[in-house]
Amino acid sequence: MIAAQAKLVYHLNKYYQEKCQSRKAAISKTIREVCKVVSDVLKEVEVQEPRFISSLNEMDNRFEGLEVISPTEFEVVLYLNQMGVFNFVDDGSLPGCAVLKLSDGRKRSMSLWVEFITASGYLSARKIRSRFQTLVAQAVDKCSYRDVVKMVSDTSEVKLRIRDRYVVQITPAFKCTGIWPRSAAHWPLPHIPWPGPNRVAEVKAEGFNLLSKECYSLNGKQSSAESDAWVLQFGEAENRLLLGGCRKKCLSVLKTLRDRHLELPGTPLNNYHMKTLVSYECEKHPRESDWDENNLGDRLNGILLQLISCLQCRRCPHYFLPNLDLFQGKPHSALENAAKQTWRLAREILTNPKSLEKL
């Protein structure tokens, strides 16, 4: 048993060194190329409208606010200033969303975003995004990369297609620190010893983002309340949870397997599903020793089996907001197909670790 486990870990480490590292290097190169173009577009936007200040800055070899969706798809979060005159309200009526309401006694004119406040006093995510989309469209025509960048037209999101190869979504957002959403108040679960009080305090201090992007309720249509609402996102908090042991290595292997074998019709799986399942696996295996390098194979298998289970049940709950289903809106046939492919992959890795050389 121990020999089989060691063999799997050996091949996974080899896979990590060869396939995962080359994936990372290729994506880093793409990010540099993409960020040059996006920065140029955002510079033009800022000239036209100083309220939209580019927050795409490089720190320690990473770009703040940039999320890799897949090797050809990225999201850049553009942090807006001055949320101060609004109250953050998440009463659970819109899973995964919250609203920003003008604080009592505050005048609209006190807000930097006065013309985007609705009659009932809400700061409308849709109105801000609509204005931003217009500005980006104008900036694309003026910027120095105009020959290689186009707006993606069939969406209310702000998306750029670069060199006909990459798609980047630019999402206006507010950073919320020092508060924690009521809809995530159940976390951490009282009977689970992970992640421990110090890490919990760090994660909650990291806070979350409110994104201006489409949020669909179960019927797939957007009500006016939803179009004014902001989507909760916990990227930095999630990253902090995955520090230590082989957690990040495990996620890197899962992302690489996804890119190479689970990029399927209907796009049932993305990197975020993988990240979510690693967090759940941390709860199931709360001891730090469970995440020693020599347990990498066991953790990976556990996550792949959990993924198959989620795909078969057609439900993958968001880690911090379990009422939110990350498979919502995905075609059932695509989820079934992904379950079969994941099962093949898991069986191959488990029964024949050497097969990782070809995967």
Side-chain angles (χ1 to χ4, degrees):
M1 185 68 192
I2 288 172
Q5 195 183 20
K7 187 179 173 193
L8 177 53
V9 170
Y10 167 78
H11 283 290
L12 281 170
N13 276 322
K14 203 168 162 213
Y15 187 82
Y16 178 75
Q17 292 305 333
E18 291 167 9
K19 311 269 170 59
C20 300
Q21 295 293 27
S22 68
R23 172 190 179 274
K24 270 186 181 165
I27 288 176
S28 292
K29 193 168 169 244
T30 303
I31 286 172
R32 295 210 160 278
E33 193 181 332
V34 156
C35 285
K36 263 190 211 147
V37 178
V38 173
S39 293
D40 201 55
V41 170
L42 290 176
K43 220 182 276 145
E44 278 298 331
V45 167
E46 204 178 313
V47 169
Q48 299 172 65
E49 173 53 277
R51 286 179 297 184
F52 291 103
I53 301 167
S54 174
S55 54
L56 186 62
N57 303 316
E58 192 178 0
M59 283 166 70
D60 304 331
N61 278 337
R62 39 186 303 260
F63 284 90
E64 193 192 358
L66 182 128
E67 196 76 32
V68 179
I69 314 291
S70 79
T72 56
E73 206 180 335
F74 305 89
E75 180 170 22
V76 168
V77 171
L78 180 80
Y79 291 111
L80 307 175
N81 289 323
Q82 288 199 10
M83 193 182 103
V85 297
F86 296 96
N87 281 334
F88 165 78
V89 184
D90 71 326
D91 55 8
S93 58
L94 297 168
C97 298
V99 292
L100 290 172
K101 190 161 183 13
L102 200 60
S103 307
D104 292 343
R106 295 293 188 120
K107 294 192 176 72
R108 284 159 193 272
S109 56
M110 294 166 85
S111 169
L112 184 66
W113 306 99
V114 58
E115 73 272 41
F116 305 110
I117 301 172
T118 65
S120 42
Y122 292 104
L123 181 62
S124 169
R126 179 183 48 84
K127 287 182 175 180
I128 283 189
R129 190 167 69 250
S130 173
R131 172 77 180 126
F132 182 58
Q133 192 175 39
T134 306
L135 292 166
V136 171
Q138 290 165 359
V140 162
D141 289 341
K142 288 183 184 167
C143 78
S144 47
Y145 290 97
R146 56 187 169 276
D147 298 338
V148 297
V149 61
K150 289 191 209 51
M151 288 282 284
V152 176
S153 56
D154 57 350
T155 172
S156 86
E157 310 282 20
V158 179
K159 287 187 177 181
L160 302 178
R161 181 167 279 112
I162 298 172
R163 298 189 204 284
D164 277 329
R165 275 206 302 276
Y166 311 115
V167 173
V168 185
Q169 179 165 334
I170 311 175
T171 306
F174 287 105
K175 201 177 191 61
C176 302
T177 50
I179 54 172
W180 190 249
R182 191 158 51 164
S183 46
H186 66 282
W187 183 88
L189 299 172
H191 56 283
I192 290 176
W194 183 83
N198 292 350
R199 184 59 53 88
V200 168
E202 284 171 19
V203 165
K204 289 191 171 182
E206 197 67 65
F208 56 96
N209 294 326
L210 290 175
L211 307 185
S212 167
K213 63 199 291 186
E214 289 175 3
C215 62
Y216 290 110
S217 61
L218 292 168
N219 62 9
K221 294 192 183 68
Q222 253 195 331
S223 67
S224 61
E226 280 171 315
S227 60
D228 291 332
W230 298 75
V231 175
L232 293 158
Q233 187 241 36
F234 296 83
E236 294 303 323
E238 289 156 348
N239 290 342
R240 201 166 269 275
L241 278 181
L242 299 186
L243 297 174
C246 65
R247 291 176 178 88
K248 285 173 97 170
K249 183 186 273 192
C250 191
L251 179 58
S252 191
V253 170
L254 286 161
K255 286 177 178 177
T256 308
L257 288 169
R258 190 219 73 91
D259 290 354
R260 295 168 76 98
H261 304 284
L262 298 168
E263 182 64 83
L264 303 167
T267 327
L269 290 175
N270 60 35
N271 286 341
Y272 190 66
H273 295 119
M274 301 304 184
K275 192 181 191 184
T276 300
L277 290 173
V278 174
S279 298
Y280 280 121
E281 189 73 5
C282 291
E283 286 191 346
K284 283 186 205 151
H285 298 277
R287 293 194 307 267
E288 275 311 300
S289 58
D290 295 334
W291 292 88
D292 286 348
E293 289 286 331
N294 58 355
N295 289 320
L296 178 61
D298 289 349
R299 296 295 77 83
L300 185 86
N301 278 325
I303 294 165
L304 288 174
L305 293 174
Q306 183 60 59
L307 175 57
I308 294 162
S309 171
C310 287
L311 288 163
Q312 287 173 336
C313 300
R314 300 177 189 148
R315 182 166 163 72
C316 179
H318 186 287
Y319 179 65
F320 285 115
L321 310 168
N323 288 342
L324 185 64
D325 177 16
L326 299 177
F327 287 158
Q328 188 180 305
K330 300 282 182 193
H332 288 178
S333 57
L335 296 173
E336 276 164 34
N337 183 23
K340 284 178 192 151
Q341 295 285 9
T342 308
W343 174 244
R344 275 185 207 128
L345 204 56
R347 192 176 55 198
E348 187 81 29
I349 292 168
L350 195 55
T351 56
N352 177 20
K354 202 170 172 8
S355 67
L356 279 159
E357 290 174 6
K358 297 192 187 70
L359 288 175

